[in-house]
């Protein structure tokens, strides 16, 4: 949420406080999700359970990363959309669940790759005299 120009100081303070409150709520939700993932993810065995654990970790890493707030929110919405279909979609819609699983795996791979710190160029170690 952007605070528009030209608003009163009272409204600016209220909007800023509200934005900070939302920020804290998303942070708490992502932290809770990661801290308690085993309570719901292990109910699904195999690759779906593993993907659920990966989602929990990726969601938390997105939120605590140094990405822009807009990017964080967009990426969280994108991966959560697929998680919702995968875990909460009707069991009768197997195709949509399979598509969601593949899309989630691909999207998280891209997001995780973006979040990797750059690898420093290798340097030769200085010679050590013995």
């Amino acid at each position: 949420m952007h605070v528009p120009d030209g608003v009163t100081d009272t409204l600016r303070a209220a909007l800023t406080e509200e934005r900070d409150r939302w920020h804290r709520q998303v942070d708490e939700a992502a932290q809770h999700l990661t801290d308690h993932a085993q309570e719901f993810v292990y109910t699904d065995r195999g690759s779906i359970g593993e993907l659920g654990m990966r989602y929990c970790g990726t969601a938390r890493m997105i939120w605590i990363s140094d990405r822009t707030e807009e990017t964080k929110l967009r990426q969280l919405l994108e991966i959560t959309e697929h998680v919702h279909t995968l875990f909460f979609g009707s069991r009768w819609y197997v195709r949509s669940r399979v598509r969601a699983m593949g899309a989630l795996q691909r999207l998280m791979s891209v997001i995780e790759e973006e979040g990797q710190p750059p690898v420093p160029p290798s340097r030769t170690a200085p010679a050590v005299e013995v």
Side-chain angles (χ1 to χ4, degrees), residues 33 40 44 48 51-52 55-56 59 75-94 96-105 107-108:
L33 181 68
F40 61 90
D44 290 299
I48 292 179
L51 192 57
Y55 164 77
C56 294
Q75 289 179 338
L76 284 174
L77 286 171
E78 288 173 348
I79 64 173
T80 302
E81 174 186 0
H82 298 302
V83 166
H84 186 270
T85 300
L86 183 60
F87 286 93
F88 305 111
S90 172
R91 300 280 183 200
W92 296 104
Y93 296 114
V94 175
S96 64
R97 294 181 74 223
V98 168
R99 280 193 304 267
M101 183 181 224
L104 180 60
Q105 289 172 328
L107 184 56
M108 285 196 304

Coordinates of all heavy atoms in Angstrom, one line a residue, residues 33 40 44 48 51-52 55-56 59 75-94 96-105 107-108:
L33 N 3.7 -20.5 9.7 CA 3.6 -21.6 8.7 C 4.9 -22.4 8.7 O 4.8 -23.6 8.7 CB 3.4 -20.9 7.3 CG 3.3 -21.9 6.1 CD1 2.0 -22.7 6.2 CD2 3.4 -21.1 4.8
F40 N 0.8 -30.1 9.4 CA -0.2 -30.4 8.3 C 0.5 -31.0 7.1 O -0.2 -31.7 6.3 CB -0.9 -29.1 7.9 CG -0.1 -28.0 7.4 CD1 0.2 -27.9 6.1 CD2 0.5 -27.1 8.3 CE1 1.0 -26.8 5.6 CE2 1.3 -26.0 7.9 CZ 1.6 -25.9 6.5
D44 N 0.3 -35.5 4.1 CA 0.4 -35.9 2.7 C 1.8 -36.5 2.6 O 2.8 -35.9 2.8 CB 0.3 -34.7 1.8 CG -1.1 -34.1 1.8 OD1 -2.0 -34.8 1.4 OD2 -1.3 -32.9 2.2
I48 N 4.1 -34.8 -2.5 CA 3.2 -33.7 -2.2 C 3.6 -33.1 -0.8 O 3.7 -31.9 -0.6 CB 1.7 -34.1 -2.2 CG1 1.3 -34.3 -3.7 CG2 0.9 -33.0 -1.6 CD1 -0.1 -34.8 -3.8
L51 N 6.8 -31.2 -1.2 CA 6.5 -29.9 -1.9 C 5.9 -28.9 -0.9 O 6.2 -27.7 -0.9 CB 5.6 -30.1 -3.1 CG 5.4 -29.0 -4.0 CD1 6.8 -28.5 -4.6 CD2 4.5 -29.4 -5.2
G52 N 5.1 -29.4 0.0 CA 4.5 -28.6 1.0 C 5.5 -28.0 2.0 O 5.5 -26.8 2.3
Y55 N 7.4 -25.4 0.1 CA 6.6 -24.2 0.0 C 6.8 -23.3 1.3 O 7.0 -22.1 1.3 CB 5.1 -24.5 -0.2 CG 4.2 -23.3 0.1 CD1 4.1 -22.3 -0.8 CD2 3.5 -23.3 1.3 CE1 3.3 -21.2 -0.5 CE2 2.7 -22.2 1.5 CZ 2.6 -21.2 0.6 OH 1.7 -20.1 0.9
C56 N 6.7 -24.0 2.4 CA 6.8 -23.3 3.7 C 8.1 -22.6 3.9 O 8.1 -21.4 4.2 CB 6.6 -24.3 4.9 SG 4.9 -25.0 5.0
A59 N 8.3 -19.7 1.2 CA 7.5 -18.6 1.6 C 8.2 -17.7 2.6 O 8.2 -16.5 2.5 CB 6.1 -19.0 2.1
Q75 N 5.3 -12.7 -5.4 CA 5.8 -14.1 -5.4 C 5.0 -14.9 -4.4 O 4.7 -16.1 -4.7 CB 7.3 -14.1 -5.1 CG 8.1 -13.6 -6.2 CD 9.6 -13.5 -5.9 OE1 10.0 -13.5 -4.8 NE2 10.4 -13.5 -7.0
L76 N 4.7 -14.4 -3.2 CA 3.9 -15.1 -2.3 C 2.5 -15.5 -2.8 O 2.0 -16.6 -2.7 CB 3.7 -14.4 -1.0 CG 4.9 -14.3 0.0 CD1 4.7 -13.4 1.1 CD2 5.3 -15.7 0.4
L77 N 1.9 -14.5 -3.5 CA 0.6 -14.8 -4.1 C 0.7 -15.9 -5.2 O -0.2 -16.7 -5.3 CB 0.0 -13.5 -4.7 CG -0.6 -12.5 -3.7 CD1 -0.9 -11.2 -4.3 CD2 -1.8 -13.1 -2.9
E78 N 1.7 -15.8 -6.0 CA 1.9 -16.7 -7.1 C 2.1 -18.2 -6.6 O 1.4 -19.1 -7.1 CB 3.1 -16.3 -8.0 CG 2.9 -15.1 -8.8 CD 4.1 -14.7 -9.5 OE1 5.2 -15.1 -9.2 OE2 4.0 -13.8 -10.4
I79 N 2.9 -18.4 -5.6 CA 3.1 -19.7 -5.1 C 1.9 -20.2 -4.3 O 1.6 -21.4 -4.4 CB 4.5 -19.9 -4.4 CG1 4.5 -19.1 -3.1 CG2 5.6 -19.6 -5.3 CD1 5.8 -19.4 -2.2
T80 N 1.3 -19.3 -3.6 CA 0.2 -19.7 -2.7 C -1.0 -20.1 -3.6 O -1.8 -21.0 -3.2 CB -0.2 -18.6 -1.8 OG1 1.0 -18.3 -1.0 CG2 -1.3 -19.0 -0.8
E81 N -1.2 -19.5 -4.7 CA -2.3 -19.9 -5.6 C -2.2 -21.4 -6.0 O -3.1 -22.1 -5.9 CB -2.2 -19.0 -6.9 CG -3.2 -19.4 -7.9 CD -3.1 -18.7 -9.2 OE1 -2.2 -17.8 -9.3 OE2 -3.8 -18.9 -10.2
H82 N -1.0 -21.8 -6.3 CA -0.7 -23.2 -6.7 C -0.9 -24.1 -5.5 O -1.4 -25.2 -5.6 CB 0.6 -23.4 -7.4 CG 0.7 -22.6 -8.6 ND1 -0.1 -22.7 -9.7 CD2 1.6 -21.6 -9.0 CE1 0.3 -21.9 -10.7 NE2 1.3 -21.2 -10.3
V83 N -0.4 -23.7 -4.3 CA -0.5 -24.5 -3.1 C -2.0 -24.7 -2.8 O -2.4 -25.8 -2.4 CB 0.2 -23.8 -2.0 CG1 -0.2 -24.5 -0.6 CG2 1.7 -24.0 -2.2
H84 N -2.8 -23.6 -2.9 CA -4.2 -23.7 -2.7 C -4.9 -24.7 -3.5 O -5.7 -25.6 -3.1 CB -4.9 -22.3 -2.8 CG -6.3 -22.3 -2.4 ND1 -7.3 -22.6 -3.3 CD2 -6.9 -22.1 -1.2 CE1 -8.5 -22.6 -2.6 NE2 -8.2 -22.2 -1.4
T85 N -4.6 -24.7 -4.8 CA -5.1 -25.7 -5.7 C -4.7 -27.1 -5.4 O -5.5 -28.0 -5.4 CB -4.7 -25.4 -7.2 OG1 -5.2 -24.1 -7.5 CG2 -5.3 -26.4 -8.2
L86 N -3.4 -27.2 -5.1 CA -2.8 -28.6 -4.8 C -3.4 -29.2 -3.5 O -3.8 -30.3 -3.5 CB -1.3 -28.4 -4.7 CG -0.5 -29.7 -4.5 CD1 -0.8 -30.7 -5.7 CD2 1.0 -29.4 -4.4
F87 N -3.4 -28.4 -2.4 CA -3.8 -28.9 -1.1 C -5.3 -28.8 -0.8 O -5.8 -29.6 0.0 CB -2.9 -28.3 0.0 CG -1.5 -28.8 0.0 CD1 -0.5 -28.1 -0.7 CD2 -1.2 -29.9 0.7 CE1 0.8 -28.5 -0.7 CE2 0.1 -30.4 0.7 CZ 1.1 -29.7 0.0
F88 N -5.9 -27.8 -1.4 CA -7.3 -27.5 -1.0 C -8.3 -27.7 -2.1 O -9.5 -27.5 -1.9 CB -7.4 -26.2 -0.3 CG -6.5 -26.0 0.8 CD1 -5.4 -25.1 0.7 CD2 -6.6 -26.7 2.0 CE1 -4.5 -24.9 1.7 CE2 -5.8 -26.5 3.0 CZ -4.7 -25.6 2.9
G89 N -7.8 -28.0 -3.3 CA -8.6 -28.2 -4.5 C -9.3 -29.5 -4.3 O -8.9 -30.4 -3.6
S90 N -10.4 -29.7 -5.1 CA -11.2 -30.9 -5.0 C -10.3 -32.1 -5.5 O -9.6 -32.0 -6.5 CB -12.4 -30.8 -6.0 OG -13.0 -32.0 -6.1
R91 N -10.4 -33.2 -4.8 CA -9.7 -34.4 -5.1 C -10.1 -34.9 -6.5 O -9.5 -35.8 -7.1 CB -9.9 -35.5 -4.1 CG -9.4 -35.1 -2.7 CD -7.9 -35.2 -2.6 NE -7.5 -34.9 -1.2 CZ -6.3 -34.6 -0.9 NH1 -5.4 -34.5 -1.8 NH2 -6.0 -34.3 0.3
W92 N -11.3 -34.5 -6.9 CA -11.8 -35.0 -8.2 C -11.1 -34.3 -9.4 O -11.2 -34.8 -10.5 CB -13.3 -34.7 -8.3 CG -14.1 -35.5 -7.3 CD1 -14.6 -35.0 -6.1 CD2 -14.4 -36.9 -7.3 NE1 -15.2 -36.0 -5.4 CE2 -15.1 -37.2 -6.1 CE3 -14.1 -37.9 -8.2 CZ2 -15.5 -38.5 -5.8 CZ3 -14.5 -39.2 -7.8 CH2 -15.2 -39.5 -6.7
Y93 N -10.5 -33.2 -9.2 CA -9.9 -32.5 -10.3 C -8.4 -32.8 -10.3 O -7.5 -32.0 -10.0 CB -10.1 -31.0 -10.1 CG -11.5 -30.6 -10.3 CD1 -12.2 -30.0 -9.2 CD2 -12.2 -30.7 -11.5 CE1 -13.6 -29.7 -9.3 CE2 -13.6 -30.4 -11.6 CZ -14.2 -29.8 -10.5 OH -15.5 -29.5 -10.6
V94 N -8.1 -34.0 -10.7 CA -6.7 -34.5 -10.7 C -5.8 -33.7 -11.6 O -4.7 -33.3 -11.3 CB -6.7 -36.0 -11.0 CG1 -5.3 -36.5 -11.1 CG2 -7.5 -36.8 -10.0
S96 N -6.0 -30.5 -12.7 CA -5.7 -29.2 -12.2 C -4.7 -29.3 -11.0 O -3.8 -28.5 -10.9 CB -6.9 -28.4 -11.7 OG -7.6 -29.0 -10.6
R97 N -4.8 -30.4 -10.2 CA -3.9 -30.6 -9.1 C -2.5 -30.9 -9.6 O -1.5 -30.4 -9.1 CB -4.4 -31.6 -8.1 CG -5.7 -31.1 -7.4 CD -6.2 -32.1 -6.5 NE -5.4 -32.1 -5.3 CZ -5.0 -33.2 -4.7 NH1 -5.3 -34.4 -5.1 NH2 -4.2 -33.1 -3.6
V98 N -2.4 -31.7 -10.7 CA -1.1 -32.1 -11.3 C -0.5 -30.9 -11.9 O 0.7 -30.7 -11.8 CB -1.3 -33.3 -12.3 CG1 -0.1 -33.5 -13.1 CG2 -1.7 -34.6 -11.6
R99 N -1.3 -30.1 -12.6 CA -0.7 -28.9 -13.2 C -0.2 -27.9 -12.1 O 0.8 -27.3 -12.3 CB -1.8 -28.2 -14.1 CG -2.0 -28.8 -15.4 CD -2.8 -27.8 -16.3 NE -4.1 -27.5 -15.8 CZ -5.3 -28.2 -16.0 NH1 -5.3 -29.2 -16.8 NH2 -6.4 -27.8 -15.4
A100 N -1.0 -27.8 -11.0 CA -0.6 -26.9 -9.9 C 0.8 -27.4 -9.3 O 1.6 -26.6 -9.0 CB -1.6 -26.8 -8.9
M101 N 0.9 -28.7 -9.2 CA 2.1 -29.3 -8.7 C 3.3 -28.9 -9.5 O 4.4 -28.5 -9.0 CB 2.0 -30.8 -8.5 CG 3.2 -31.4 -7.9 SD 2.9 -33.2 -7.8 CE 3.5 -33.5 -6.1
G102 N 3.2 -29.1 -10.8 CA 4.3 -28.8 -11.7 C 4.6 -27.3 -11.8 O 5.8 -26.9 -11.7
A103 N 3.6 -26.5 -11.8 CA 3.8 -25.1 -11.9 C 4.4 -24.6 -10.6 O 5.3 -23.7 -10.6 CB 2.4 -24.3 -12.1
L104 N 4.0 -25.1 -9.5 CA 4.6 -24.7 -8.2 C 6.1 -25.1 -8.1 O 6.9 -24.3 -7.7 CB 3.8 -25.4 -7.0 CG 4.3 -25.1 -5.6 CD1 4.3 -23.6 -5.3 CD2 3.5 -25.8 -4.6
Q105 N 6.4 -26.3 -8.6 CA 7.8 -26.7 -8.6 C 8.7 -25.8 -9.4 O 9.7 -25.4 -9.0 CB 7.9 -28.2 -9.0 CG 7.4 -29.2 -8.1 CD 7.4 -30.6 -8.6 OE1 7.1 -30.8 -9.8 NE2 7.6 -31.5 -7.7
L107 N 8.0 -22.7 -10.4 CA 8.0 -21.3 -9.9 C 8.9 -21.2 -8.7 O 9.7 -20.2 -8.6 CB 6.6 -20.9 -9.6 CG 6.4 -19.4 -9.1 CD1 6.9 -18.4 -10.1 CD2 4.9 -19.2 -8.8
M108 N 8.8 -22.2 -7.8 CA 9.7 -22.1 -6.6 C 11.2 -22.3 -7.0 O 12.1 -21.6 -6.4 CB 9.3 -23.2 -5.6 CG 8.1 -22.7 -4.9 SD 7.7 -23.6 -3.3 CE 7.7 -25.3 -3.9

